[in-house]
């Protein structure tokens, strides 16, 4: 197996950050209005729009994290005169509900059991029965590993004339989000997951319809996250509103270059392939998945512990073998571990992780067939590589 000097960070974000991106982060801080920074911010906005297949629309890149992007998306599109339907299938949709509650914004919630997503048919029913002008969903819930049928939701929401907002924090750049084709109005996301960049940025792409919605709102309960204050800066980074985080933007820009160099469709396929490889390896070790099969996201696996296997002991044993994964959130705490496979992972990373998981399991149970697990993962990767070359 491959020797490593650093731990492989397979929590569901931040994902491993490549040297090329770290070097961009570590380069000298320049003036936020310097020609270099203007070029980087412009390029980062342009690339972000390409990554979500948005030609018109506007990208916003500000210091913060995914939660700020959630707040920005909501406060700039939903006012007291609107009513939103939140499609909730996990921990981060609950956070979305909390944001609506915190600002007293009118909403209802359609809930799916954890590990699944709300069926598009239910969205259709809810929209025909109620008067909603906004629909909000989480693309991949990072607690449950469930991927929502965003394209179908978009079709239903747009047929009813509703604005459609997608939390892509655990998907954008790893799973397709075709804003223009599917008519998504806002994709909100963050730098630290499928872009493989360090945490520190809140990212939003607004369609023209979403921006128009903001323009119809006289005032909103936000200052820093008011997109109309940022719009002149994003269009012309020589302008000033609030100091952009120069180094993180440069690093993110480098991250978007890596995404586009790989090619979006190839990157989406690689995420699917690596997800299948991880799951084949884990299945060979006797692990099962928490997420219902039709909803499995390609960006992370939420893995159920077999009876009697202790969460803390397993994760510590895995950490000791150089692989860091996360525990379960809320009701799943202690019952699952979460392994991210998003961003810029290589096939060797996947095999290293499976070998480490086999070693950790073997140290606690004396019963793991390391060779079989690694071979199962490698077989998926090899078949995929041949398929891609053919
Ligand atoms: N939405 C989803 C789907 C997420 O996975 C996360 C972070 N795990 C967030 C929102 C919040 O992002 P942040 O932690 O960067 O605030």
């Amino acid at each position: 197996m491959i020797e490593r000097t650093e731990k492989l960070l397979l929590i569901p974000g931040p994902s491993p950050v490549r040297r090329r991106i770290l070097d961009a982060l570590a380069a000298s801080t320049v003036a936020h209005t310097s020609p270099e920074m203007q070029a980087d911010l412009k390029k980062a906005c342009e690339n972000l729009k390409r990554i979500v297949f948005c030609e018109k629309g506007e990208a916003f890149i500000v210091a913060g994290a995914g939660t700020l992007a959630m707040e920005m998306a909501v406060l700039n599109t939903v006012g007291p005169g609107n009513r939103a339907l939140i499609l909730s299938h996990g921990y981060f949709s609950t956070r979305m509900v909390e944001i609506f509650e915190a600002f007293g914004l009118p909403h209802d919630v359609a809930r799916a059991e954890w590990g699944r997503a709300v069926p598009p048919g239910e969205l259709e029913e809810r929209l025909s029965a109620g008067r909603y002008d906004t629909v909000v969903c989480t693309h991949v819930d990072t607690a449950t590993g469930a991927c929502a049928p965003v394209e179908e939701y978009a079709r239903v929401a747009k047929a009813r004339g509703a604005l459609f907002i997608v939390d892509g924090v655990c998907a954008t750049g790893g799973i397709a989000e075709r804003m223009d084709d599917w008519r998504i109005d806002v994709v909100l996301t963050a730098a630290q997951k499928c872009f493989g960049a360090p945490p520190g940025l809140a990212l939003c792409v607004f369609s023209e319809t979403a921006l128009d919605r903001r323009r119809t709102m006289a005032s909103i309960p936000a200052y820093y996250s008011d997109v109309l204050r940022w719009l002149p800066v994003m269009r012309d980074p020589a302008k000033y509103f609030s100091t952009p985080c120069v180094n993180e933007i440069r690093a993110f820009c480098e991250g978007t270059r890596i995404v586009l160099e790989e090619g979006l469709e190839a990157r989406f396929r690689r995420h699917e392939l690596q997800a299948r490889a991880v799951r084949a390896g884990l299945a060979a070790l006797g692990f099962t998945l928490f997420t219902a099969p039709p909803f499995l996201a390609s960006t992370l696996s939420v893995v159920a512990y077999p009876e009697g296997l202790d969460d803390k002991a397993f994760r510590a044993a895995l950490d000791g073998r150089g692989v860091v994964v996360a525990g379960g959130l809320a009701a799943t705490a202690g019952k699952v571990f979460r392994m991210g496979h998003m961003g810029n992972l290589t096939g060797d990373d996947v095999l290293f992780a499976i070998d480490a998981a086999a070693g950790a399991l073997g140290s606690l149970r004396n019963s793991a067939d390391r060779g079989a697990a690694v071979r199962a993962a490698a077989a998926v990767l090899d078949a995929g590589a041949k398929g891609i070359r053919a």
Side-chain angles (χ1 to χ4, degrees):
M1 265 295 143
I2 316 117
E3 289 284 320
R4 283 174 189 269
T5 51
E6 284 178 2
K7 286 191 179 165
L8 181 60
L9 194 57
L10 295 188
I11 57 174
S15 61
V17 182
R18 275 199 196 167
R19 175 53 51 197
R20 213 176 121 182
I21 298 176
L22 289 174
D23 286 346
L25 186 71
S28 302
T29 301
V30 294
H32 55 284
T33 49
S34 64
E36 300 95 301
M37 187 58 210
Q38 288 181 43
D40 280 343
L41 183 51
K42 259 202 148 355
K43 185 47 93 186
C45 286
E46 195 183 300
N47 286 353
L48 176 57
K49 281 172 57 179
R50 283 178 66 191
I51 290 166
V52 296
F53 302 90
C54 173
E55 258 184 41
K56 294 192 177 142
E58 293 284 347
F60 297 91
I61 300 178
V62 306
T67 305
L68 179 69
M70 294 168 81
E71 217 170 272
M72 260 177 113
V74 170
L75 296 184
N76 285 281
T77 55
V78 184
N82 301 106
R83 181 150 210 99
L85 181 65
I86 302 172
L87 304 176
S88 171
H89 63 279
Y91 186 87
F92 288 98
S93 348
T94 302
R95 173 166 301 190
M96 188 56 94
V97 173
E98 286 169 4
I99 291 173
F100 273 77
E101 284 168 357
F103 291 95
L105 297 171
H107 66 282
D108 289 310
V109 184
R111 283 200 174 78
E113 173 192 337
W114 275 34
R116 317 184 73 86
V118 174
E122 188 179 334
L123 173 61
E124 175 82 61
E125 273 169 37
R126 297 288 292 247
L127 292 186
S128 58
R131 291 170 48 82
Y132 299 104
D133 54 28
T134 310
V135 173
V136 188
C137 83
T138 315
H139 195 163
V140 171
D141 192 283
T142 322
T144 69
C147 184
V150 165
E151 185 179 1
E152 282 93 328
Y153 287 170
R155 197 173 304 126
V156 174
K158 297 317 285 186
R160 296 271 168 189
L163 202 82
F164 183 48
I165 300 175
V166 177
D167 171 348
V169 173
C170 196
T172 315
I175 302 177
E177 291 171 335
R178 302 179 199 278
M179 266 189 86
D180 289 353
D181 281 3
W182 299 349
R183 298 173 63 213
I184 300 171
D185 290 297
V186 181
V187 169
L188 68 96
T189 188
Q192 73 270 21
K193 299 200 188 229
C194 302
F195 296 101
L201 293 176
L203 313 167
C204 285
V205 184
F206 274 53
S207 70
E208 289 184 319
T209 314
L211 267 183
D212 285 344
R213 171 77 75 84
R214 167 65 192 94
R215 290 192 184 100
T216 62
M217 300 161 84
S219 67
I220 63 168
Y223 184 81
Y224 181 78
S225 43
D226 184 345
V227 293
L228 292 186
R229 294 187 195 277
W230 283 108
L231 192 56
V233 181
M234 297 298 145
R235 286 187 173 162
D236 174 9
K239 298 208 166 105
Y240 168 75
F241 165 53
S242 168
T243 311
C245 44
V246 171
N247 297 58
E248 277 82 357
I249 288 173
R250 189 167 43 207
F252 172 68
C253 188
E254 195 59 21
T256 62
R257 283 196 191 97
I258 292 174
V259 172
L260 295 171
E261 280 164 16
E262 180 173 12
L264 288 167
E265 306 302 337
R267 192 172 177 89
F268 302 149
R269 280 197 303 271
R270 175 176 59 75
H271 276 74
E272 280 164 21
L273 183 68
Q274 291 180 342
R276 281 195 284 116
V278 164
R279 287 161 193 165
L282 293 174
L285 293 173
F287 284 110
T288 56
L289 297 173
F290 170 83
T291 318
F295 300 100
L296 285 170
S298 60
T299 48
L300 81 157
S301 292
V302 180
V303 187
Y305 283 117
E307 198 55 40
L309 187 61
D310 181 70
D311 171 42
K312 287 208 173 86
F314 177 75
R315 284 193 289 129
L318 197 49
D319 192 290
R321 284 164 178 76
V323 174
V324 188
V325 297
L329 290 174
T332 63
K335 298 181 183 150
V336 302
F337 71 90
R338 296 176 302 137
M339 181 180 276
H341 28 80
M342 63 185 109
N344 295 317
L345 286 199
T346 62
D348 281 349
D349 291 332
V350 169
L351 298 181
F352 182 79
I354 294 302
D355 185 54
L361 188 64
S363 72
L364 299 170
R365 293 216 143 171
N366 263 339
S367 65
D369 186 342
R370 282 172 88 149
V374 173
R375 276 195 305 279
V380 173
L381 294 174
D382 289 348
K386 283 188 195 114
I388 289 162
R389 271 200 301 273

